[in-house]
Amino acid sequence: MNNAAKDQVWVVGVTGASGVRYALRLLQVLPSLVREVHVVFSEAALRVLHDEEGVGISPSALSAEKLLGIEAPNVTFYNPRDIGARVASGSMLTTGMVVIPCSMATLGAIAHGIPTHLVHRAADVAMKENRPLILVPRETPLSPIHLENMLKLSKYGVRIVPAMPA
């Protein structure tokens, strides 16, 4: 691993789309590769976490140890309602953000600049600060509105990386 990666600070947003396992896997690997990871689960993501993985946990109880069974002192979790959290400010220097999985509601909110919770706000900050933003949508079939929102964000430099399991 190169030393530049060890200096990186990433924000990870997890939303209510099916496929929370993708986020869990990223959170297992990423902390060992970068300096800091800042994580926000939306309330809908916590519901999907319960439904898909059998993990029932409140935003205030989230930790790497409770969620993943690992100690990761470089991982910080935030309440999705805390719009004043560090990740909601451009003054917090980050390398970028990934939203995995990204619901179409979140994708639409980001595309139209309507931040209703901390995942949306942190993504908005990444865009306005010209930092990498990667969205991993998990929806099919896609409606024309979904496709228009993806195209709009792509034109702004957002990377759209649909999860496509084999």
Side-chain angles (χ1 to χ4, degrees):
M1 175 181 32
N2 73 41
N3 288 333
K6 272 301 202 186
D7 289 332
Q8 293 185 0
V9 175
W10 281 88
V11 178
V12 176
V14 185
T15 65
S18 179
V20 72
R21 184 163 293 206
Y22 291 110
L24 296 178
R25 181 64 180 139
L26 179 64
L27 293 174
Q28 287 173 336
V29 175
L30 192 58
S32 66
L33 301 175
V34 301
R35 188 175 80 225
E36 295 175 29
V37 180
H38 298 268
V39 185
V40 184
F41 273 74
S42 71
E43 290 181 14
L46 292 173
R47 167 69 189 268
V48 174
L49 180 67
H50 178 266
D51 292 350
E52 291 185 357
E53 300 294 325
V55 177
I57 195 163
S58 70
S60 60
L62 278 171
S63 72
E65 189 171 344
K66 288 181 182 175
L67 187 64
L68 307 167
I70 62 171
E71 287 193 31
N74 61 335
V75 178
T76 304
F77 288 86
Y78 298 88
N79 187 306
R81 294 182 184 171
D82 185 4
I83 210 74
R86 289 179 57 213
V87 296
S89 172
S91 64
M92 180 182 174
L93 300 179
T94 65
T95 305
M97 179 175 183
V98 59
V99 181
I100 181 171
C102 184
S103 69
M104 287 301 136
T106 292
L107 196 139
I110 295 167
H112 295 280
I114 306 170
T116 60
H117 56 65
L118 189 54
V119 175
H120 301 160
R121 175 65 185 145
D124 192 50
V125 167
M127 286 180 59
K128 79 179 184 72
E129 296 295 331
N130 223 10
R131 297 176 187 149
L133 176 60
I134 303 164
L135 305 181
V136 183
R138 281 280 298 145
E139 182 80 31
T140 187
L142 296 167
S143 76
I145 293 171
H146 298 153
L147 294 168
E148 285 177 6
N149 285 337
M150 285 187 224
L151 179 60
K152 179 179 184 175
L153 288 169
S154 178
K155 287 178 179 178
Y156 295 151
V158 174
R159 296 287 186 239
I160 309 295
V161 184
M164 295 184 180

